[in-house]
Amino acid sequence: MPGDAVERELVRGRGLSVITLVDHLIEAAQEKRASDIHLDPLFEGVRVRFRIDGVLQDVYRLPREVRSEIVSRIKVLASLRTDEHQTAQDGRFRHSFGGNAFVDIRVSIAPTYHGENVVLRLLSDVAQEFTLQALGFGESDRRKIIEAIRRPSGMILVTGPTGSGKTTTLYTLIKMLNAPDISVITIEDPIEYGVAGVEQMQVNTRAGLTFATGLRTILRQDPNIIMVGEIRDAETASIAVNTALTGHLLLSTLHTNDAATTLPRLLDLRVESFLVASTISLAIGQRLVRKLCPACKQEFKASRELAKSLAAVSLNKPIAAGERLQRPKGCKKCGGTGYHGRISINEVLIADAKIREAILARAPSSELKRIAIKGGMTTMLEDGLTKVRAGVTSVEEVLRVIHE
């Protein structure tokens, strides 16, 4: 059935086979550049939402009668149990668009009051095409990162909340490091993208394969470079730090608010301060902001009120009243949002001698941040305002993600 006809039948809520319905939802999400599909069970039916550029948008409302059929179809595709409705299930499948085009889809199903909630994560291969520049890193930060990954040992941590692009940054670094004369091994949960030439291990807690046990196994595999998907607990943190100390380059992620908080967080995970100071090379803090739609963005002059409010939070080069900036408008191309695509705003903290001394003294994150800024670190806010001045994003968007 042609796409337009499917769309009409979706709106009417009838006349479609469940196979056609699920296929269309995936293809519509891919066409709209969605990263996730949410199928939310409601009393009266199913709410379908797409996460586009990091923001959830209502797309369809489907009738209650098709709810169980949709969930069953997705379970079959992901090789999950169709007779289990009271426990969470996770799976994965590949959807083909014809020819060589396909998308890998990660499935998460959880029981809720009105039925099973389904979230589909669309995993395209775009991460393998990224460079540090395309991700949003400025020239100075790129130089710091390249210098750090060229070292034979040490620890590089990418930090930020869920959905801040940490995994994409890690894969980009792995792609830069991957070469025939070195061994790169990862332990991930889940494996989001397959990388040719890299040995990737999937966490399997039922089989006893956790980040900690997987990391111990990797050490017996003669690696040069190790990527740990996430440092979640004290055991993993301890093994990771000791791995970096014994001559391996280790890359991982942590959930912290900014780069400076990364170092005290390791101390909270009961890693000795001298080990943190000896092994940490670099901490990268990041967020994702939406990019202004190039087809409809509007120029305006910053008001005195805006300049004054930004001066209160900006450390260097505050935006001045009358400065020409860009703001969203909304058009057909961007779906009326005024934004199209995303880019990261970043801060890169180098663990130099002064930072190491502060770690040994167990200085708070505020002091570490002050030392890093004095040493030349550009904060995420400053990087965001630089991108605002360049017309890449808006003031509102930067403030939304920094202060969310």
Side-chain angles (χ1 to χ4, degrees), residues 23 26-27 29-31 34-35 37 92-98 100-106 121-126 192-193:
D23 286 351
I26 294 169
E27 289 163 15
Q30 183 78 348
E31 183 181 347
S35 60
I37 303 171
R92 190 179 182 124
F93 68 93
R94 174 170 290 184
H95 179 83
S96 175
F97 298 100
N100 295 322
F102 64 88
V103 61
D104 287 320
I105 298 173
R106 195 171 80 222
R121 167 65 59 88
L122 278 64
L123 303 169
S124 64
D125 284 333
V126 293
E192 296 205 3
Y193 308 102

Side-chain angles (χ1 to χ4, degrees), residues 113-145:
Y113 182 73
H114 287 299
E116 291 175 284
N117 189 76
V118 180
V119 177
L120 308 180
R121 167 65 59 88
L122 278 64
L123 303 169
S124 64
D125 284 333
V126 293
Q128 300 201 47
E129 303 169 5
F130 280 142
T131 62
L132 290 175
Q133 184 174 4
L135 289 177
F137 288 92
E139 184 180 349
S140 174
D141 287 344
R142 292 200 304 272
R143 285 199 303 267
K144 295 175 185 176
I145 294 170

